[in-house]
């Protein structure tokens, strides 16, 4: 039996064979819009699907293929597709899975633009949605209807860091033959692999940990070959939110260090979690690897470690939250996450500003809540900056 490569080896070697590319160690960047055919008949065979080969970069590009094959291997899926952004992936998958008058059950707490997309689908196509905390099987079961087309889950949830038991959700959804789609952006495949927990489709904003260097906007979807073949020929090809070859090239480069980076993000976050908890200006810290986290048992069950994101609430008002951000030195005020730089943001006025206040508060996104994406700097430098900013509140 062939030895199964471990994650750290797959991330570097899967999806690419240097011998096929004149010995080039790095996967080449195929910065081309189209591909030439030797003959008219060859073009005919390719378009008819009778012969493998590239035709036009919206239908496939060799650099993008390398990234897709790596992501499929890392998430343990049959096939992956690259997209222009995480939202291009989310929208291509949700539009592929639904038709007018369908229904979606989603986790209570979603990326702001995913919430926006669901509202738009509701207005335009009467595709309704219900939120569920998905804490128990019954709570989820009660919301499933004959028109329910999919269950859509984020875990850890942005930005409240609640966790959902993916295996439990898949069991309930599969009783009704409904697919489970998981936005795995916050965990990365190094920490959590939803397909191994019986879920059906994984989505990433590759902008975050997959790229890891803050220089790309991109998305990926992973799942069964039949389903993703269908997505490729419909909502990917015809809506057109494809990944650019240069972005795929940057992601392949970033991906090689994913396990090393994510371990360091986790090491730093674990230390900062402890420090934040003991600061008098901080009223609450939410970090999944802390034994005080209400979903710690789910973290132990389905995530290798706690990840690099910490959310916390400060004592005071929205103005105090903004003052804390303004007090910081090298810690940067920015949305996005998973970069080398430590980034901090205020969800109520930034990532979740589009969410109506009542839904926002229901999700637990108060004016005092702050989200920290712990970077790769020396952890005590990060804490030093945070501490001086908190002390000056
Ligand atoms: C950033 C993000 C998205 C959207 O991804 P883009 O690459 O910005 O389009 C979706 N889900 C989560 C959890 C995210 O953090």
């Amino acid at each position: 039996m062939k030895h199964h490569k471990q994650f750290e080896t797959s991330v570097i070697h899967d999806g690419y064979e240097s011998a096929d590319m004149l010995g080039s160690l790095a996967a080449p960047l195929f910065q081309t819009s189209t591909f030439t055919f030797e003959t008219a008949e060859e073009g005919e065979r390719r378009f008819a699907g009778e012969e493998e080969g590239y035709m036009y970069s919206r239908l496939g590009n060799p650099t993008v293929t390398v990234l897709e094959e790596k992501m499929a291997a890392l998430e343990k899926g049959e096939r992956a597709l690259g997209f222009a952004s995480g939202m291009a992936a989310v929208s291509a998958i949700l539009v592929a899975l639904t038709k007018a008058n369908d229904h979606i059950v989603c986790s209570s707490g979603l990326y702001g633009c995913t919430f926006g997309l669901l509202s738009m689908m509701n207005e335009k196509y009467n595709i309704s949605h219900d939120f569920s905390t998905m804490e128990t099987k019954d709570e989820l079961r009660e919301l499933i209807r004959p028109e329910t087309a999919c269950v859509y889950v984020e875990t850890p949830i942005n930005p409240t860091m609640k966790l959902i038991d993916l295996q439990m959700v898949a069991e309930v959804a599969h009783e009704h033959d409904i697919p489970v789609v998981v936005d795995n952006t916050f965990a990365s495949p190094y920490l959590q692999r939803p397909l191994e927990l019986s879920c059906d489709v994984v989505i990433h904003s590759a902008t975050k940990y997959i790229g890891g260097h803050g220089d790309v906007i991109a998305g990926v979807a992973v799942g069964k070959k039949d389903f993703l073949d269908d997505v490729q020929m419909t909502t990917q090809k015809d809506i057109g939110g494809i990944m650019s070859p240069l972005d795929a090239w940057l992601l392949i480069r970033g991906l090689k260090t994913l396990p090393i980076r994510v371990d360091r993000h986790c090491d730093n976050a674990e230390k900062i979690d402890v420090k934040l908890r003991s600061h008098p200006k901080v009223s609450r810290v939410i970090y999944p690897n802390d034994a005080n986290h209400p979903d710690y048992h789910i973290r132990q069950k389905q995530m290798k470690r706690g990840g690099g994101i910490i959310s916390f609430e400060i004592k005071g008002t929205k103005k105090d939250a903004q003052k804390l951000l303004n007090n910081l030195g090298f810690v940067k005020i920015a949305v996005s996450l998973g970069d080398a730089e430590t980034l901090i943001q205020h969800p109520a006025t930034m990532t979740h500003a589009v969410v109506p206040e009542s839904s926002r508060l229901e999700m637990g996104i108060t004016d005092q809540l702050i989200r920290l994406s712990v970077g790769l700097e020396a952890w005590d430098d990060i804490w030093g900056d945070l501490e001086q900013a908190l002390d000056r509140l």
Side-chain angles (χ1 to χ4, degrees):
M1 207 180 94
K2 197 167 162 244
H3 177 68
H4 230 71
K5 287 201 278 299
Q6 295 177 60
F7 192 96
E8 292 79 355
T9 310
S10 276
V11 82
I12 295 170
H13 291 286
D14 278 9
Y16 180 64
E17 202 51 77
S18 57
D20 298 343
M21 295 290 171
L22 305 172
S24 174
L25 179 68
L29 168 57
F30 283 84
Q31 188 71 17
T32 184
S33 58
T34 199
F35 298 83
T36 60
F37 309 123
E38 288 296 311
T39 61
E41 290 75 13
E42 184 180 73
E44 181 182 15
R45 288 193 301 278
R46 297 241 176 122
F47 274 94
E50 293 162 10
E51 179 185 298
E52 292 265 318
Y54 293 96
M55 294 164 279
Y56 181 65
S57 279
R58 182 158 38 73
L59 311 176
N61 172 284
T63 310
V64 178
T65 303
V66 174
L67 187 268
E68 290 172 340
E69 288 189 2
K70 276 188 196 293
M71 286 302 298
L74 298 179
E75 286 286 5
K76 307 282 182 203
E78 292 175 5
R79 190 174 179 196
L81 288 176
F83 290 89
S85 66
M87 285 317 301
V90 173
S91 55
I93 295 298
L94 286 180
V95 173
L97 285 172
T98 53
K99 59 183 189 320
N101 307 316
D102 275 352
H103 172 250
I104 299 172
V105 180
C106 47
S107 51
S108 46
L110 286 177
Y111 184 72
C113 298
T114 303
F115 183 88
L117 174 70
L118 289 173
S119 307
M120 181 169 71
M121 289 169 75
N122 192 18
E123 278 162 33
K124 280 178 166 302
Y125 309 117
N126 195 36
I127 298 168
S128 58
H129 55 269
D130 278 308
F131 292 106
S132 168
T133 61
M134 303 189 189
E135 279 169 13
T136 64
K137 282 189 169 184
D138 284 340
E139 187 198 343
L140 181 56
R141 252 185 218 123
E142 275 166 22
L143 292 174
I144 292 177
R145 311 189 210 144
E147 318 82 74
T148 305
C150 71
V151 176
Y152 186 93
V153 185
E154 265 184 42
T155 179
I157 293 179
N158 175 33
T160 52
M161 305 309 289
K162 288 180 188 143
L163 306 185
I164 289 173
D165 183 333
L166 290 174
Q167 202 149 22
M168 185 272 277
V169 170
E171 275 171 34
V172 176
H174 293 169
E175 286 167 7
H176 304 265
D177 282 329
I178 297 168
V180 179
V181 181
V182 181
D183 181 333
N184 202 28
T185 301
F186 269 45
S188 90
Y190 180 60
L191 298 181
Q192 173 174 280
R193 287 181 291 280
L195 303 181
E196 287 186 329
L197 300 165
S198 306
C199 297
D200 302 279
V201 183
V202 166
I203 291 173
H204 280 281
S205 168
T207 312
K208 317 294 167 55
Y209 289 103
I210 303 298
H213 292 74
D215 49 13
V216 183
I217 300 258
V220 176
V222 193
K224 284 262 189 301
K225 184 175 182 307
D226 284 354
F227 174 63
L228 287 175
D229 285 351
D230 186 53
V231 170
Q232 188 199 5
M233 296 315 284
T234 56
T235 53
Q236 186 185 50
K237 168 174 84 67
D238 297 340
I239 296 178
I242 53 136
M243 182 180 282
S244 84
L246 176 59
D247 288 346
W249 190 87
L250 287 164
L251 293 170
I252 292 163
R253 177 178 159 128
L255 207 49
K256 290 182 186 180
T257 54
L258 179 76
I260 299 172
R261 286 187 283 109
V262 173
D263 270 332
R264 175 66 173 260
H265 285 297
C266 293
D267 290 344
N268 283 354
E270 284 170 14
K271 291 177 179 127
I272 287 169
D273 167 48
V274 174
K275 289 291 186 186
L276 277 171
R277 272 171 207 280
S278 63
H279 197 283
K281 297 278 169 59
V282 175
S283 55
R284 191 158 79 106
V285 184
I286 323 169
Y287 182 59
N289 199 48
D290 196 290
N292 297 308
H293 190 294
D295 305 324
Y296 181 60
H297 60 288
I298 303 177
R299 199 297 284 152
Q300 288 175 302
K301 194 173 153 194
Q302 71 188 23
M303 291 175 75
K304 187 180 162 92
R305 301 186 65 180
I309 312 295
I310 301 176
S311 288
F312 61 98
E313 280 183 319
I314 54 148
K315 293 175 186 161
T317 60
K318 172 180 149 186
K319 279 270 159 283
D320 294 305
Q322 291 179 320
K323 184 157 183 251
L324 169 67
L325 270 55
N326 293 335
N327 282 350
L328 288 161
F330 73 82
V331 170
K332 298 284 189 284
I333 307 171
V335 300
S336 200
L337 52 105
D339 292 327
E341 295 81 0
T342 297
L343 304 178
I344 198 163
Q345 68 111 354
H346 184 240
T349 59
M350 295 181 185
T351 50
H352 289 69
V354 295
V355 181
E357 192 180 2
S358 59
S359 308
R360 185 158 62 67
L361 293 174
E362 230 170 87
M363 291 177 182
I365 306 168
T366 61
D367 284 348
Q368 292 78 24
L369 187 77
I370 287 163
R371 187 186 79 190
L372 183 71
S373 169
V374 179
L376 303 176
E377 303 95 336
W379 81 269
D380 42 356
D381 286 343
I382 302 170
W383 173 244
D385 199 7
L386 284 168
E387 188 179 35
Q388 65 78 25
L390 283 162
D391 288 347
R392 289 196 287 135
L393 280 185

